[in-house]
């Protein structure tokens, strides 16, 4: 029996959802073992009977990834399949988030869609190779990455290993549509400096909160201009969002300081560092004293070309397996681990499930989609030379 079937997908996915791999997202973490450890051991056990190299990659004391490599018929660069092991917390869904439920062909639970559905499909695709007694044309690297949801230390550690890569598929919920392009992101803090004074005589101070309002207006103006300069067929316009604001010290004093957290989404064609530098220059105006923190996050956009031969081959496979002849390449506003592979290899984002179910109460996935994804991944692994 082929390992790619609904029953086996359901079993593996239920087991992996029941293993909690909640990313603390920067909050205190008290367990002595890494977030992903039990899932890593579970997956390593699945591959024990086979001729694979299994490596545990420790990105930090609290996060680790699993790398499984399979020899190809020829030596050379690898096909990378990557999905992430960690999930976002389930604080808003405490009752049944980690008790997987199967209902009407769907599996419910935290991580079922983001991202363990993709991971299970990738595992099944590789198992299928062994159980059919095959060898893939190119070597395969299957990376079950840790810490995607917060600092992406898993994929970054893998990239630092400088594995030779021929092509890469990042598994995320795309409804089996190959995503070629997505946004990059830069996050940092802008602090507006003022001078405090008694609020009965505000003219004696310089109001940092009023200054922050000017900054927010200038950010909106900059966003509008960027939208005119940078246009993509697959991705929506660049955005600059103030996500948090902290200012003032007491209710009866002019604020001497106000800090804005900025989330700047850049699109293909924009360099994250140059875009940030340009924005910093744009904010440098007389009468406004502003300082900038170091960037806390800098992730590139994914900008794979629609003419990329690997992407075209993957699209053809997706059309064949899903029966959707009109399936086209897509783009996404969110970022993925593919950002870290941009410019290194042909990379696409492709997986079962819909992004609207990710990070949501009642997160779920259609098991039939997981099976289709496994068939697509398997055909990708067995394609090319
Ligand atoms: Zn994800």
């Amino acid at each position: 029996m082929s390992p790619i079937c609904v029953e086996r997908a359901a079993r593996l996915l239920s087991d992996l959802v029941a293993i909690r791999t909640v990313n603390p997202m920067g909050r205190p973490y008290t367990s002595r073992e890494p977030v992903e450890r039990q899932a890593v051991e579970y997956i390593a056990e699945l591959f024990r009977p086979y001729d694979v190299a299994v490596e545990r990659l420790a990105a930090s004391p609290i996060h680790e990834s699993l790398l499984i490599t399979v020899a190809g018929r020829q030596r050379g660069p690898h096909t990378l399949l990557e999905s992430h092991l960690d999930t976002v917390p389930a604080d808003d869904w405490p009752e049944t988030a980690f008790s997987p439920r199967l209902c009407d062909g769907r599996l419910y639970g935290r991580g079922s869609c983001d991202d363990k559905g993709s991971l299970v499909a990738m595992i099944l695709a590789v198992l299928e190779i062994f159980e059919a007694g095959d060898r893939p044309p190119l070597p395969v690297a299957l990376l079950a990455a840790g810490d995607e949801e917060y600092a992406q230390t898993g994929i970054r550690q893998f990239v630092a290993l400088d594995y030779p890569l021929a092509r890469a598929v990042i598994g995320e919920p795309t409804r089996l549509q190959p995503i070629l392009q997505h946004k990059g992101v830069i996050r940092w803090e802008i602090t507006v400096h003022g001078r405090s004074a008694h609020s009965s005589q505000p003219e004696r101070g310089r109001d940092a909160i009023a200054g922050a309002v000017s900054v927010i207006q200038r950010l909106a103006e900059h966003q509008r201009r960027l939208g005119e300069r940078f246009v993509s067929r697959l991705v929506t316009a660049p955005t600059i969002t103030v996500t948090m604001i902290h200012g003032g010290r007491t209710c009866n004093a002019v604020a001497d300081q106000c800090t804005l957290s900025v989330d700047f989404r850049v699109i293909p064609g924009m360099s994250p560092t140059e875009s940030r530098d340009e924005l910093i220059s744009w904010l440098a105006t007389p009468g406004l004293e502003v300082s900038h923190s170091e960037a806390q996050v800098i992730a590139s956009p994914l900008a794979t070309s629609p003419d990329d031969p690997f992407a075209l081959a993957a699209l053809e496979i997706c059309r064949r397996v899903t029966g959707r002849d009109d399936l086209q390449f897509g783009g996404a506003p969110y970022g993925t681990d593919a950002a870290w592979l941009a410019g290194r290899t042909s990379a696409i984002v492709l997986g079962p499930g819909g992004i609207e179910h990710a990070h949501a109460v009642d997160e779920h996935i259609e098991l039939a989609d997981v099976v289709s994804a496994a068939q697509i991944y398997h055909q990708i692994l067995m394609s090319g030379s």
Side-chain angles (χ1 to χ4, degrees):
M1 184 182 75
S2 164
I4 302 180
C5 64
V6 166
E7 293 72 22
R8 198 150 173 199
R11 196 172 72 241
L12 293 192
L13 191 49
S14 298
D15 288 352
L16 280 170
V17 167
I19 299 172
R20 290 176 197 231
T21 50
V22 174
N23 195 318
M25 312 292 290
R27 295 186 288 194
Y29 180 73
T30 49
S31 167
R32 281 216 295 267
E33 65 179 23
V35 166
E36 298 86 2
R37 170 64 54 84
Q38 287 182 41
V40 161
E41 287 177 349
Y42 176 89
I43 297 166
E45 191 60 33
L46 295 173
F47 286 93
R48 190 183 293 277
Y50 303 111
D51 180 20
V52 298
V54 176
E55 216 179 322
R56 211 151 63 188
L57 305 176
S60 71
I62 68 164
H63 288 293
E64 68 182 13
S65 305
L66 178 70
L67 176 62
I68 290 172
T69 47
V70 181
R73 287 200 291 272
Q74 61 197 53
R75 288 174 181 276
H78 294 61
T79 307
L80 172 68
L81 296 184
E82 190 254 24
S83 301
H84 62 91
L85 287 164
D86 60 316
T87 72
V88 290
D91 302 348
D92 53 348
W93 183 18
E95 298 300 319
T96 54
F98 302 101
S99 308
R101 269 178 309 128
L102 197 58
C103 181
D104 292 336
R106 295 170 170 173
L107 196 124
Y108 288 76
R110 171 59 79 231
S112 58
C113 174
D114 183 15
D115 192 31
K116 292 173 175 173
S118 290
L119 181 58
V120 163
M122 289 179 171
I123 292 168
L124 293 178
V126 178
L127 288 176
E128 168 76 15
I129 292 174
F130 289 110
E131 295 181 19
D134 274 336
R135 276 271 175 221
L138 301 180
V140 175
L142 171 61
L143 179 66
D147 193 24
E148 187 271 349
E149 296 287 1
Y150 188 64
Q152 300 87 47
T153 52
I155 186 70
R156 286 160 61 189
Q157 185 186 22
F158 173 79
V159 167
L161 294 176
D162 233 352
Y163 250 72
L165 295 178
R167 50 202 188 166
V169 182
I170 304 304
E172 288 283 358
T174 73
R175 296 206 174 280
L176 304 178
Q177 179 189 31
I179 299 294
L180 293 187
Q181 302 189 356
H182 65 57
K183 292 184 181 179
V185 61
I186 317 117
R187 293 198 189 104
W188 77 101
E189 286 178 348
I190 301 174
T191 299
V192 181
H193 303 276
R195 192 175 58 248
S196 61
H198 195 284
S199 55
S200 64
Q201 292 178 293
E203 67 281 3
R204 302 182 70 161
R206 200 170 68 247
D207 186 349
I209 291 177
V213 171
S214 311
V215 167
I216 292 169
Q217 286 166 341
R218 285 186 77 76
L219 292 176
E221 174 63 12
H222 192 63
Q223 172 181 298
R224 192 186 61 70
R225 289 165 177 228
L226 289 175
E228 289 169 357
R229 275 167 57 200
F230 297 98
V231 176
S232 159
R233 199 173 60 77
L234 293 175
V235 178
T236 52
T239 54
I240 306 167
T241 305
V242 174
T243 53
M244 289 189 284
I245 183 165
H246 297 284
R249 296 180 194 274
T250 67
C251 62
N252 57 357
V254 170
D256 65 339
Q257 192 164 304
C258 185
T259 299
L260 310 173
S261 298
V262 176
D263 175 294
F264 184 5
R265 302 280 168 154
V266 294
I267 70 171
M270 299 171 76
S271 147
T273 45
E274 286 171 17
S275 300
R276 179 177 119 102
D277 290 347
E278 188 188 322
L279 177 46
I280 287 174
S281 304
W282 165 250
L283 290 178
T285 45
L288 204 55
E289 194 189 334
V290 170
S291 64
H292 298 266
S293 73
E294 292 292 304
Q296 294 138 353
V297 174
I298 300 186
S300 298
L302 177 67
T304 302
S305 162
D307 300 323
D308 181 276
F310 167 60
L312 287 165
L315 178 63
E316 216 31 66
I317 290 171
C318 290
R319 285 178 176 163
R320 210 164 49 229
V321 169
T322 61
R324 288 153 60 191
D325 296 336
D326 58 347
L327 195 64
Q328 302 292 340
F329 290 129
Y334 54 82
T336 75
D337 272 352
W340 302 96
L341 300 165
R344 289 174 175 263
T345 188
S346 299
I348 59 170
V349 184
L350 171 65
I355 192 72
E356 67 278 15
H357 301 306
H359 303 196
V361 172
D362 269 353
E363 177 178 351
H364 63 270
I365 197 164
E366 306 271 347
L367 288 167
D369 271 7
V370 178
V371 168
S372 297
Q375 290 164 342
I376 290 168
Y377 296 147
H378 178 256
Q379 290 190 27
I380 287 174
L381 293 178
M382 297 306 290
S383 69
S385 58

